Amino acid sequence: MPKQFLKSSFVSITTVLAFTTLIWYAAAVYLNSAVLIDKYERHKVEWDFSKLVDDSWSMDRPIMPAPHQIVFDLNKSIFQQKISSKRSLVYHGWVTISSTMVGFAMGAILGILLAVGIVHVSTLNKSVLPWIIASQTIPILAIAPMIIVVLGAIGVTGLLPKAIISAYLCFFPIAIGLVKGLRSPNPMHLDLLKTYNATKSQFFWKLRWPASTPFLFASFKVSIAISLVGAIVGELPAGARAGLGARLLTGSYYGQTVQIWSALVVASLLAGTLVYLMTVLERRVQNRMGVQV
Amino acid sequence: MKKSAILNWIFSIGFVIQLLFSRDWMFHGEGTLWYALQPLLASVLIIFRPTLIKSMSGIFMISLLIASGCLATLNSVHSAEPGTLSWGIWLYVVTLLGLIWQVMGLWSGVDTRLNKKTAVAINLLVPVLFGGMLLYLWEMFTVGFKVPQVLLPPPSLIGIAFANSLEILWADFQQTFMKAVLAGFFLGSGSGFVVAVLVDKIPFLQRGLLPLGNLASALPIVGVAPIMVMWFGFDWQSKAAVVMMMTFFPMLVNTLTGLKSTGRMELDLMRSYAADYWQMLIKVRLPNALPFIFNALKINSTLALIGAIVAEFFGTPIVGMGFRISTEIGRMNVDVVWASITVAALSGSLFYALLAFLERQFTGWHPSFRVS
């Protein structure tokens, strides 16, 4: 039993995490020390190593905040604020998550329509598919702020422009994955349906679509994560006042490193939760479909 | 009336209607009427000589005749007073789109099983036609409907801006791509690869790092950009650091999966040859992991460009693609912004294409390249 416990991935992950935290604390001391030593010498303060360590873990605007500082800041900005307050990360997180979801829905619909078209119309397959791949080499995230500003100029503001950027990022993995999935039924099954004299829509609803669910969910998991990234980058332009991206930007303008880090942590938690929820949904759908796991 | 020629009938009928009721657009610009007649000729040919589109030279001729129609509408829209054109030209454009669609269908229907070279050429030609159609529509739409330049400049203006600011664009390209992107890409992918090989040796780390690595590749790493700019300063080093962090995890996860993908049989064979760890790694496991590694490199090529440009929004010297985009949008020089975007898209596509080419060279044996 103990031996097996040692070999479990839980122990491995915890060890790696603990180790990372240790390195983090050490790095905080190392990176912050230059500023602190400089300050000590200017103010002619007596200092030794333990004082340096103490101070570098409790600076106001550290170069690298220590983990517990981030935890305190998270606690302050999540639990000690009213949810509607502009200082609350729950509020900012909600702004980001809502545009993530809208963008994901738009991207999913676009991706599914494209994939269905590509599988059924050979001209589309030859003409559009290469452009779908090329469309992703355009660094859309990099021009996202411009798109936001331009859309803002014609009166499209708020949630929609961010959602459009998320959708542009989302549709690609979904379209590519679903094309693969819709083509995945093996020739035997296709032949069987042909002997039943199935119509094209029967082919689609009874064979291709069900066969593509594993591919679809794999794509959904990738998409929802990048949809979040799209929403955050969409919030970077100076106009945005709410959302995790706006927190990053104001944090970087005013040198509030702890604020940047806590926004990053919340973003990571959100990404993890979204992917996890997608996995749960996948399992439920597969159970309903009678897939043996 | 044959079903295959229905688009040609629609075009011909549409042509007659707009010729009777709204033909003013054909008299703007030199020779517009002459150009505009050619697609009609193509339609008549297809309707009365259906055998023509059975041969490649016939399809080629039809394509040229239809391209002439695009030329006519562009010519007219550019020489007319903006906003004075009546509905005839738009009827013409819409019906012409049907013909373009038909031509793309004809090209993709050409039997390419016998000749490899024509297959390659046609697989290139059809997407190029589609791209050309999008550009044509973009130009027609922006010029014909007087879309304000700030919103969306027509491709022709972007081209002019591109040609006029070649020097600036080249300097930006050097700063962002040659320095930040390439340095970060090689550092990130390289260190991801090395760490993966090391981790693969230690099962404990494998179990601990792989789930975390999977999680980390889903994280919005681009968010560390402001922190990196704070740490490494405004110049390209901070951008390279962001790129490195973004490219590290995809490489780590993919290489680890790739190293695990070698079959038991192959490993047993090597073991029966008394191969040691390094021989196994270099002769069997790494070649087997190559498709995964190239997959990571291709993912990283787009991530790297995004990372570098986004990081430039948080502070940069007065050169670089991200800097250009954010300052020129502020000065409302949207055409220069679009020229910058074109540079980014071109360099991204070429980088990707280069990696895809290398992938073919190194992993040509892989089943996914077999022609079915």
Side-chain angles (χ1 to χ4, degrees):
Chain A
M1 176 64 191
K3 208 171 180 188
Q4 264 195 333
F5 179 69
L6 273 178
K7 276 196 168 176
S8 72
S9 53
F10 174 75
V11 176
S12 311
I13 294 177
T14 328
T15 320
V16 171
L17 274 182
F19 199 65
T20 319
T21 318
L22 270 182
I23 294 181
W24 192 334
Y25 271 110
V29 175
Y30 175 75
L31 284 165
N32 294 336
S33 63
V35 181
L36 280 174
I37 292 173
D38 187 52
K39 199 166 120 195
Y40 292 147
E41 274 167 7
R42 260 188 294 131
H43 296 281
K44 302 221 165 45
V45 184
E46 287 284 316
W47 64 280
D48 55 5
F49 186 69
S50 67
K51 181 173 165 54
L52 179 71
V53 169
D54 266 358
D55 283 355
S56 63
W57 288 346
S58 56
M59 282 170 80
D60 252 355
R61 292 179 180 187
I63 293 179
M64 176 97 182
H68 67 260
Q69 283 179 294
I70 299 171
V71 173
F72 282 145
D73 188 66
L74 279 176
N75 177 36
K76 200 179 77 189
S77 49
I78 291 178
F79 298 109
Q80 320 247 314
Q81 302 278 351
K82 255 199 270 166
I83 290 175
S84 57
S85 155
K86 290 248 154 124
R87 286 162 187 272
S88 163
L89 271 179
V90 180
Y91 164 75
H92 290 287
W94 170 248
V95 169
T96 305
I97 210 95
S98 52
S99 72
T100 306
M101 295 317 284
V102 173
F104 176 73
M106 283 161 47
I109 291 169
L110 178 65
I112 290 171
L113 286 180
L114 270 174
V116 172
I118 285 169
V119 170
H120 287 98
V121 185
S122 81
T123 312
L124 272 182
N125 177 33
K126 285 225 168 167
S127 60
V128 178
L129 198 58
W131 283 101
I132 292 184
I133 295 169
S135 77
Q136 297 302 306
T137 63
I138 298 173
I140 179 81
L141 272 184
I143 55 174
M146 190 197 87
I147 296 174
I148 305 273
V149 171
V150 165
L151 285 177
I154 49 171
V156 183
T157 48
L159 186 138
L160 200 59
K162 292 187 277 172
I164 288 174
I165 286 160
S166 294
Y168 185 93
L169 287 169
C170 271
F171 91 94
F172 173 70
I174 295 175
I176 296 290
L178 193 57
V179 165
K180 229 182 195 173
L182 290 175
R183 287 188 178 148
S184 67
N186 68 31
M188 294 275 265
H189 295 152
L190 290 169
D191 283 347
L192 181 68
L193 279 197
K194 220 174 265 169
T195 61
Y196 290 163
N197 193 20
T199 61
K200 240 185 168 176
S201 74
Q202 282 172 327
F203 259 99
F204 183 77
W205 290 113
K206 300 210 186 267
L207 181 57
R208 289 188 189 276
W209 182 251
S212 69
T213 22
F215 294 85
L216 192 63
F217 274 104
S219 304
F220 275 174
K221 276 185 256 176
V222 177
S223 295
I224 200 147
I226 48 178
S227 177
L228 182 69
V229 178
I232 289 176
V233 176
E235 285 157 357
L236 285 183
R241 300 223 179 81
L244 293 174
R247 287 286 279 193
L248 285 182
L249 200 72
T250 48
S252 107
Y253 279 168
Y254 301 115
Q256 298 284 356
T257 19
V258 185
Q259 183 188 324
I260 300 180
W261 279 97
S262 47
L264 276 181
V265 169
V266 170
S268 311
L269 287 178
L270 279 182
T273 319
L274 286 176
V275 175
Y276 175 73
L277 285 180
M278 212 32 106
T279 321
V280 171
L281 187 67
E282 177 183 20
R283 231 174 276 154
R284 288 205 135 185
V285 169
Q286 283 189 334
N287 276 344
R288 281 287 296 272
M289 289 172 60
V291 176
Q292 304 281 328
V293 183
Chain B
M1 202 197 299
K2 277 208 183 129
K3 206 183 158 195
S4 62
I6 188 152
L7 287 167
N8 306 97
W9 279 108
I10 292 174
F11 179 80
S12 310
I13 294 166
F15 191 89
V16 172
I17 292 174
Q18 56 94 13
L19 190 69
L20 288 178
F21 301 110
S22 177
R23 58 177 171 268
D24 57 316
W25 68 272
M26 286 192 201
F27 302 102
H28 292 290
E30 242 172 82
T32 304
L33 179 63
W34 172 246
Y35 288 128
L37 280 173
Q38 308 303 325
L40 185 68
L41 175 66
S43 286
V44 172
L45 278 175
I46 292 176
I47 292 169
F48 293 105
R49 288 259 180 284
T51 47
L52 187 72
I53 50 175
K54 294 281 187 287
S55 73
M56 275 195 15
S57 51
I59 303 176
F60 187 69
M61 200 180 84
I62 299 287
S63 315
L64 282 187
L65 292 178
I66 287 165
S68 154
C70 301
L71 210 65
T73 44
L74 286 177
N75 203 359
S76 168
V77 112
H78 275 288
S79 6
E81 280 292 307
T84 58
L85 292 167
S86 52
W87 52 270
I89 190 168
W90 300 112
L91 179 67
Y92 185 87
V93 168
V94 170
T95 48
L96 190 67
L97 280 186
L99 291 191
I100 298 175
W101 177 255
Q102 184 190 29
V103 162
M104 285 198 294
L106 288 177
W107 277 116
S108 49
V110 171
D111 187 5
T112 55
R113 274 170 296 182
L114 292 176
N115 193 334
K116 217 174 167 187
K117 269 186 194 149
T118 37
V120 171
I122 283 175
N123 279 341
L124 264 173
L125 180 72
V126 178
V128 167
L129 280 180
F130 186 78
M133 183 183 88
L134 289 185
L135 277 184
Y136 163 69
L137 279 181
W138 180 353
E139 180 87 27
M140 284 302 294
F141 181 73
T142 45
V143 178
F145 287 107
K146 287 194 296 176
V147 176
Q149 248 193 59
V150 184
L151 284 187
L152 191 68
S156 53
L157 274 185
I158 297 171
I160 293 169
F162 188 91
N164 284 342
S165 41
L166 270 183
E167 240 169 85
I168 301 176
L169 293 176
W170 175 243
D172 292 344
F173 177 76
Q174 277 182 314
Q175 168 77 14
T176 305
F177 195 85
M178 313 272 253
K179 289 180 188 164
V181 169
L182 285 186
F185 179 81
F186 284 118
L187 279 174
S189 305
S191 54
F193 177 78
V194 171
V195 171
V197 172
L198 289 179
V199 164
D200 179 68
K201 257 198 116 165
I202 308 162
F204 184 76
L205 276 185
Q206 221 185 92
R207 279 195 306 273
L209 259 184
L210 197 56
L212 291 177
N214 269 326
L215 181 70
S217 19
L219 297 187
I221 299 188
V222 119
V224 299
I227 297 167
M228 292 296 141
V229 172
M230 242 176 246
W231 285 2
F232 295 103
F234 279 175
D235 209 354
W236 62 270
Q237 287 87 346
S238 56
K239 282 83 202 174
V242 176
V243 173
M244 184 180 154
M245 289 198 63
M246 284 179 81
T247 51
F248 177 79
F249 287 106
M251 192 62 177
L252 177 74
V253 173
N254 272 288
T255 312
L256 274 178
T257 326
L259 285 174
K260 270 198 269 178
S261 73
T262 313
R264 194 122 282 169
M265 296 276 262
E266 288 86 344
L267 290 180
D268 279 349
L269 180 70
M270 286 304 276
R271 229 168 266 140
S272 68
Y273 290 159
D276 62 20
Y277 169 79
W278 290 106
Q279 283 173 322
M280 274 219 245
L281 184 72
I282 289 166
K283 298 205 164 142
V284 177
R285 301 182 63 210
L286 277 183
N288 259 310
L290 268 185
F292 292 86
I293 294 173
F294 270 107
N295 186 26
L297 286 178
K298 286 201 284 193
I299 297 173
N300 282 348
S301 70
T302 40
L303 282 181
L305 208 54
I306 291 174
I309 297 181
V310 171
E312 281 180 1
F313 294 146
F314 290 95
T316 168
I318 53 163
V319 66
M321 295 198 240
F323 170 79
R324 193 70 50 210
I325 291 173
S326 52
T327 49
E328 295 297 330
I329 188 80
R331 292 160 63 188
M332 288 293 168
N333 287 334
V334 191
D335 44 352
V336 182
V337 174
W338 279 91
S340 256
I341 294 170
T342 314
V343 174
L346 273 181
S347 42
S349 306
L350 288 179
F351 197 17
Y352 189 93
L354 177 74
L355 287 169
F357 172 75
L358 286 179
E359 181 182 23
R360 260 220 108 116
Q361 295 300 308
F362 284 104
T363 64
W365 48 266
H366 197 261
S368 64
F369 285 112
R370 262 178 232 152
V371 182
S372 54

